[in-house]
Amino acid sequence: MSAGGGKKAIIAALTANAGIAVAKFVGAAITGSGSMLAEAVHSVADTGNQGLLLLGQRRAEREADALHPFGYARNRYFYSFIVALVLFTLGSGYAIYEGIHKIQHPEELSSPLVAIVILVIAIGLESYSFMTAIRESKPLKGDASWWRFIRNSRSPELPVVLLEDTGALVGLLLAFAGVGLTMLTDDAVWDGVGTLAIGGLLGVIAIVLIVEMQSLLIGEGATPDEDRLIRENLVDGTRIDRLIHLKTQYLGPDELLVAAKIGVVPGLDVAAIATAIDDAESRVRATVPAARVIYLEPDLYRTELAKG
């Protein structure tokens, strides 16, 4: 995904969440629903999170300099990690606190039908945001499962938006259930139960995002398919007869560093080795476009080098 990739999904989520947050706060003020208030805070957190993702993309576009010779692309990982922390502390933490409070001190809801109407509208808006993220993600996902896409993607924004929107939709259903059960049983404790469930859901999603973003932030290598293609294309069998060892790392979502020691056929002159290296780089870039930074060290294969 390019630096601007996924921006449509982020903007759709930001717009939807901003509108939903206002509607939920109005509904919470009218009804006194804890689950509605927790969802309102959740939507505020999500709106801020989309802003952070856009800021991360913008800062990632800065040109490389002496202090950061490989550029600033990892800003996208950093801001996505901050998003996960915000979701955990503000979204999950507040909902759990409010849920426990509402269970211990249940309060009767006023005008619960207002809450139901607002939740239905919010579900519609969140569904629009979710479907936009799905459409943006499908070309990158390919034949992989959605879970594998989230785990293996080196681009952070779409997995973040997908998980946030999934959490928002399930959270809305939990809020709907909490308000609905409160209306049916005339027992406001169900509103607190719904709020607590929303907090638990957001906590799980936030932890998944924290783990994934932390892994990207400290540096992940090529995917298994990319690693296979790199290995296949470094060796041509005539001038480069083996790969001695290979290390890769994503410098950013769109830039893969490839560093390898390659075994060249004995007897080649400097010009032939230089040409072989250039050709190998071209083959790798043709099959793995993200491999923009390639360093190849030619050597004669020896057993001790294979262990390096």
Side-chain angles (χ1 to χ4, degrees):
M1 185 173 69
S2 67
K7 190 168 290 187
K8 183 177 180 181
I10 297 172
I11 293 174
L14 187 151
T15 304
N17 284 318
I20 291 169
V22 173
K24 287 175 181 175
F25 273 119
V26 172
I30 294 174
T31 64
S33 168
S35 57
M36 179 70 78
L37 183 59
E39 273 297 301
V41 173
H42 175 200
S43 292
V44 169
D46 281 354
T47 303
N49 286 344
Q50 315 316 321
L52 286 171
L53 292 178
L54 291 173
L55 178 62
Q57 286 193 346
R58 182 171 181 177
R59 292 199 168 182
E61 294 171 358
R62 294 172 60 186
E63 294 293 331
D65 53 32
L67 184 61
H68 297 93
F70 286 108
Y72 290 82
R74 281 193 179 174
N75 270 308
R76 289 169 65 180
Y77 296 150
F78 172 74
Y79 281 94
S80 296
F81 183 73
I82 296 300
V83 163
L85 292 179
V86 170
L87 186 63
F88 184 79
T89 55
L90 184 58
S92 176
Y94 177 80
I96 290 174
Y97 165 80
E98 184 69 13
I100 293 173
H101 175 74
K102 289 291 185 180
I103 291 173
Q104 292 175 337
H105 308 284
E107 299 176 8
E108 183 179 349
L109 301 184
S110 58
S111 305
L113 284 177
V114 173
I116 295 295
V117 171
I118 291 174
L119 288 171
V120 170
I121 293 173
I123 288 172
L125 290 173
E126 284 289 2
S127 296
Y128 160 73
S129 174
F130 181 69
M131 293 309 298
T132 301
I134 290 289
R135 287 195 299 271
E136 291 278 290
S137 301
K138 277 186 176 180
L140 297 174
K141 183 181 79 73
D143 296 329
S145 66
W146 285 106
W147 178 244
R148 184 179 176 188
F149 168 67
I150 291 170
R151 291 298 310 273
N152 291 342
S153 176
R154 300 304 190 260
S155 297
E157 293 89 357
L158 284 174
V160 169
V161 173
L162 280 169
L163 284 176
E164 277 193 346
D165 284 351
T166 300
L169 282 171
V170 176
L172 286 167
L173 294 176
L174 290 172
F176 191 93
V179 173
L181 287 171
T182 297
M183 293 174 61
L184 290 173
T185 63
D186 200 27
D187 186 352
V189 75
W190 287 109
D191 185 50
V193 171
T195 307
L196 188 61
I198 291 169
L201 170 70
L202 295 181
V204 170
I205 290 175
I207 289 171
V208 171
L209 284 176
I210 287 171
V211 170
E212 291 302 313
M213 295 307 120
Q214 181 262 354
S215 180
L216 288 170
L217 189 58
I218 64 176
E220 289 190 359
T223 65
D225 286 342
E226 290 171 336
D227 184 85
R228 175 181 55 80
L229 289 171
I230 292 169
R231 291 176 182 275
E232 289 176 353
N233 285 280
L234 281 176
V235 177
D236 62 9
T238 55
R239 297 164 298 177
I240 301 174
D241 59 3
R242 70 175 64 234
L243 173 63
I244 299 174
H245 64 76
L246 168 71
K247 291 185 179 181
T248 61
Q249 186 177 90
Y250 266 91
L251 303 174
D254 311 306
E255 190 170 40
L256 178 64
L257 167 67
V258 177
K261 186 183 288 289
I262 51 176
V264 297
V265 174
L268 292 180
D269 59 27
V270 173
I273 292 174
T275 301
I277 289 175
D278 290 341
D279 291 345
E281 290 179 355
S282 297
R283 291 193 301 271
V284 170
R285 290 193 177 103
T287 54
V288 183
R292 298 181 183 179
V293 182
I294 303 176
Y295 297 112
L296 301 182
E297 179 184 355
D299 208 331
L300 296 177
Y301 178 75
R302 294 187 295 273
T303 303
E304 58 271 21
L305 289 178
K307 301 175 181 178

